[in-house]
Amino acid sequence: MTPPKNPHPVSPPIDGTDRAILEALTADGRMTNAALAARVGVAESTCANRVKALRESGVIAGISARVDPAAVGRPIQAVVRVHLASHNRAHVNELFDRLVAIPGALSVIHVAGDDDFVLLVAVPSPQRLRDMILEHITSHPAVTKTETQLVFEVRDGAGVLGPL
Amino acid sequence: MTPPKNPHPVSPPIDGTDRAILEALTADGRMTNAALAARVGVAESTCANRVKALRESGVIAGISARVDPAAVGRPIQAVVRVHLASHNRAHVNELFDRLVAIPGALSVIHVAGDDDFVLLVAVPSPQRLRDMILEHITSHPAVTKTETQLVFEVRDGAGVLGPL
DNA sequence: AATGAAAAGACCATAGG
DNA sequence: CCTATGGTCTTTTCATT
């Protein structure tokens, strides 16, 4: 008999090579496979296979460009916290769908606690922030209250690859 | 005499082609230059030049892999809101530096409003969330209070390229 | 699984319209 | 801004260990 399998069908165990690949591609997602292989110390073909496996298993959710909101006409950012009256499942899902579709929404988080949703949005001006909240958020019947905080600065954190 | 120059050294105006490039690279940051050129309808040389300019001017802040936190041992996420006693500049900056260095910190936002910082963190377990907050946040002398909300789900928003 | 080597493909710089 | 052409670097595939 083989020993018990990893209970997770996806996400095969991540070894040191995989972690090094993830670190490198987090820093520079367009690094060539050749450079990546050299950096992590495996053959190019091996490296290419690892990356493919990491993408197919979803460990790498995607490789994408990060666009500076200010450079495309949205210099103001805000955190908007949304409270709901009804936690009815259909209402929550429907609102979630609406929130992610708001132009300028960067991310939408459904949370447990004081609030129900926390949004990060980027807008052209404070006036447009007000319009956005009134039109897309408080207008929804399930929303009882929003609290908005102007963003001074966003910084990426240390990320997910450090020590557990 | 040449006509007056664009006053902005960085961020030259973004035209439709640039927007299309940004959209494509946001969806797939590893698209080849040839594929990108075909998609946006310009010559490959033009496309390569546009992309280079967008990167150098900072409109494209970077191209990087997004790693699924759950796949690397951090299945629990939380939003942590941090209140400060002192808004002394040196204290704020020092705390900001500490917060971004916390292992598992995904992003740290300095805001104006009820809170001073809003963090998104990914941790291995609720116990480790508690440890993280006690050790790295509430232990700081300027922090008076934190409020933590468990994350049910994070979704990317429509992003920054839609209509203004 | 990992490797090395060879064929196919992508990229960059250059020059000219 | 487009086309075109080299030369160089990369990716991909496959037989081998």
Side-chain angles (χ1 to χ4, degrees), chain B residues 127-139:
Chain B
Q127 289 76 13
R128 303 296 295 277
L129 176 59
R130 178 196 56 192
D131 296 344
M132 196 216 76
I133 293 168
L134 292 175
E135 183 180 338
H136 291 104
I137 305 182
T138 56
S139 67

Side-chain angles (χ1 to χ4, degrees), chain B residues 52-108:
Chain B
K52 185 149 66 125
L54 288 168
R55 298 192 76 157
E56 286 172 356
S57 69
V59 176
I60 296 176
I63 298 181
S64 47
R66 286 173 291 107
V67 175
D68 176 8
V72 292
R74 299 178 179 275
I76 309 289
Q77 288 182 233
V79 173
V80 182
R81 306 190 345 240
V82 180
H83 295 247
L84 297 193
S86 147
H87 289 190
N88 170 292
R89 187 193 187 94
H91 284 172
V92 170
N93 285 337
E94 192 244 0
L95 181 58
F96 206 166
D97 289 342
R98 284 173 177 276
L99 293 176
V100 299
I102 296 173
L106 299 177
S107 68
V108 181

